[in-house]
Amino acid sequence: MTHILRIDASARRAGSVSRDLTDQIITQMGAATVTTRDLATGIPLLEEAWIGANFTPADQRTPEQAATLALSDTLVAEIKAADTLVIGVPIYNFGVPAALKAWVDQVARAGVTFQYSETGPKGLLEGKRAVLVIASGGTESGSDIDFATNYMRHVLGFIGITAIDVVTADRLMVDADAAMKTAQDQIGALAA
C-alpha cells in the first residue's frame, strides 16, 4: 500500500498552482492513504525552549519539554509513516515560503532524522520518495536565482530521502501556457 504525505506550502488555498498540481499528482499515484499537512495554517518557529528540549536526552526531558517537542514529533512521525512525500513548493522571493522553512526546522533533528558520523551527516529516513512541485511567477527553476529547488533537494537528502522527482510550473507570469504544459508533461512521466 502506498502512503503519501502531502505538504502544501502555498499561502493561497484558492488559485494555487502548486496545490492544483499536487492534487493531480496524488490522483495519478492512486495512494491508499494520504496524510495532508497544510502549512498555511502555521508552523511555529524554533525558539530557545524548543532548542533546549531538543538537545535534552529524551529520557531526561521534563513534561514541559516533551510538550514543546510534541508538534515536531508528530511531523517526523508523518514522514516516517509515508512512502512518498509530495511537497507543493511555491517560490516566494527566490526561496521557499517561511512556513516551509519552519517545517524543515521542525523535522531536521539530530539523532531523529539524521545523525553525525565520522564521514559526516547521514540521513535516517531512507527508502522514501519525494516529488517536489515547484511553482513560480518569474523565477526559472534551476536557475541561479532559484534558491528553493536545490535547497529542498539538499534538505530531503540530508534526512535520507534521495529519490526525488521535480515537477516545475515556473515563470508562470512570463508564459503560463508553456509552464503548465511542461508541468503536465512531467506529471505524465512520473511513475506511480
Side-chain angles (χ1 to χ4, degrees), residues 4-192:
I4 291 176
L5 172 59
R6 173 189 181 139
I7 300 167
D8 287 309
S10 177
R12 293 173 49 187
R13 289 193 174 85
S16 166
V17 171
S18 64
R19 287 177 188 265
D20 290 345
L21 294 173
T22 297
D23 285 340
Q24 292 176 38
I25 291 166
I26 289 172
T27 298
Q28 178 175 309
M29 289 184 165
T33 306
V34 178
T35 301
T36 299
R37 176 60 64 176
D38 189 341
L39 303 182
T41 61
I43 293 286
L45 301 177
L46 300 188
E47 38 79 31
E48 187 173 6
W50 190 98
I51 299 293
N54 186 51
F55 288 104
T56 298
D59 62 346
Q60 297 174 26
R61 289 183 188 135
T62 66
E64 293 80 15
Q65 288 176 318
T68 297
L69 293 177
L71 175 62
S72 175
D73 291 340
T74 297
L75 298 174
V76 170
E78 289 173 352
I79 298 171
K80 287 181 176 181
D83 302 302
T84 302
L85 284 70
V86 179
I87 306 174
V89 184
I91 296 179
Y92 290 174
N93 301 312
F94 313 107
V96 299
L100 184 54
K101 173 61 169 81
W103 178 84
V104 166
D105 289 343
Q106 292 281 344
V107 301
R109 291 175 57 191
V112 178
T113 58
F114 71 92
Q115 66 187 15
Y116 291 108
S117 70
E118 314 77 47
T119 58
K122 176 180 179 358
L124 300 177
L125 302 179
E126 296 175 324
K128 299 181 183 302
R129 175 185 183 195
V131 179
L132 299 175
V133 181
I134 308 294
S136 78
T139 301
E140 183 178 356
S141 181
S143 69
D144 289 344
I145 60 171
D146 170 10
F147 299 103
T149 307
N150 284 337
Y151 170 74
M152 288 304 299
R153 282 182 186 273
H154 180 80
V155 164
L156 291 169
F158 185 73
I159 62 174
I161 303 170
T162 57
I164 301 169
D165 294 299
V166 179
V167 171
T168 58
D170 58 358
R171 303 185 74 227
L172 286 159
M173 299 299 287
V174 177
D175 189 345
D177 291 339
M180 293 307 290
K181 182 180 181 329
T182 298
Q184 294 303 322
D185 291 347
Q186 291 169 339
I187 290 171
L190 287 175

